[in-house]
Amino acid sequence: MMWIVIGVLAGAVMPVQTVANTRLSRSTGTPLSSSLISFLVGTLTLACALMLLNHGEMGLANALGGPWWMWLGGLLGVVALTGNILMFPRLGAVQTVVLPIAGQILMGLIIDHAGLFHSLQSPITVSRAVGAAIVMAGVLLTVMSGAGRRGSVASGDKGDTGDTRLSAWAWRGFGVLCGVLFASQAAINGHLGQVIAGPIAAALVSFSVGLGALIVLNVLQRWRPRATAPEGEKNPWWMWIGGALGAAYVLLNALLVPQIGTGLTVVAVLSGLMAGSVVVERVRGQEISPRQLVGLVLIFAGVMVVDVL
């Protein structure tokens, strides 16, 4: 029971991470600069964890000569994390959570069926296909329930994020794509962890690659380190913790899988993700409609069918 509670807490931190990183981007000036700071904090957190738990062992020599895609996990994480920062003010916490879930489920089935990224091949069964269909129905219900309140783009946030002239449905499609990237990153890092000294070392490599890419992107953007509070506001302390929360999420998942298995870990973490997104929406003053709650229940049920049954 304790491990399941830890899984729920691990999932619950992710909507909070998105809130922290989104608020940080208002002070740093750009989503990419916020992602840079988040990856830097996460990299330092994972480095400390590696020193404590793995005694600094990385085993990178074992990865030399491996497939080129083993090093792409961090780049995929950069796109997905920055995407969350962009989506949050436009779509809200609930949709920012559930849309990537749809992408993760769909891409996860494809990865397992084809054995991509040297993963264990597991053909799509009828029950898994039905579970994925239930997830998609829940996502669609959740999205449609929130569409009327937010319109094409959250107009109240345009001053902070810029009017991208993309419809809400384009952003929702991007949310599903972020889930595809998250699933691919997990599979890539899983293989990397088998090659080197385990999941913590793989996560550190992933964060380090992402950090390097973000440094280059921010240099090209000519961003200068800054954290200027928006007019009339103060910089809250919690806007700096996004990277640590992301690192904690990776570490807790690495600890949970050996204890309770992948399927139960996914269900526990997903429960926390959805509960956390509902709490964040309520704190932000947004209402959660009954249809959205039904959609969340459907998503939960579908994931159980895909990953447990």
Side-chain angles (χ1 to χ4, degrees), residues 29 33 39 41 44 47 57 83 142 190 195-196 202 210 241 259 307:
S33 58
F39 264 74
V41 173
L44 294 175
E57 177 64 34
T142 303
V195 173
I196 60 177
I241 67 173
Q259 297 294 328
D307 286 294

Side-chain angles (χ1 to χ4, degrees), residues 2 24 87 111 153 156 162 168 182 224-225 263 281 287:
M2 179 190 69
L24 180 61
M87 286 188 295
I111 290 172
V153 176
F182 276 130
R224 296 293 181 270
E281 275 299 69
E287 294 183 1

Side-chain angles (χ1 to χ4, degrees), residues 186-216:
I188 290 170
N189 287 348
H191 178 66
L192 182 61
Q194 292 177 344
V195 173
I196 60 177
I200 299 175
L204 178 57
V205 170
S206 181
F207 267 69
S208 300
V209 171
L211 177 62
L214 283 164
I215 290 173
V216 173

Side-chain angles (χ1 to χ4, degrees), residues 137-177:
V139 169
L140 186 60
L141 182 60
T142 303
V143 168
M144 292 300 294
S145 300
R149 290 188 294 107
R150 290 193 166 266
S152 60
V153 176
S155 58
D157 296 311
K158 287 180 183 178
D160 296 328
T161 62
D163 185 357
T164 63
R165 298 182 181 179
L166 290 176
S167 70
W169 284 106
W171 281 109
R172 289 167 185 140
F174 180 65
V176 175
L177 174 61

Side-chain angles (χ1 to χ4, degrees), residues 13-60:
V13 306
M14 295 310 290
V16 179
Q17 181 200 30
T18 301
V19 173
N21 288 342
T22 302
R23 176 59 184 83
L24 180 61
S25 71
R26 296 180 61 200
S27 294
T28 60
T30 66
L32 283 176
S33 58
S34 174
S35 294
L36 170 62
I37 293 173
S38 182
F39 264 74
L40 174 61
V41 173
T43 299
L44 294 175
T45 303
L46 287 167
C48 292
L50 187 73
M51 292 298 297
L52 291 173
L53 301 177
N54 279 28
H55 305 291
E57 177 64 34
M58 289 285 288
L60 288 179

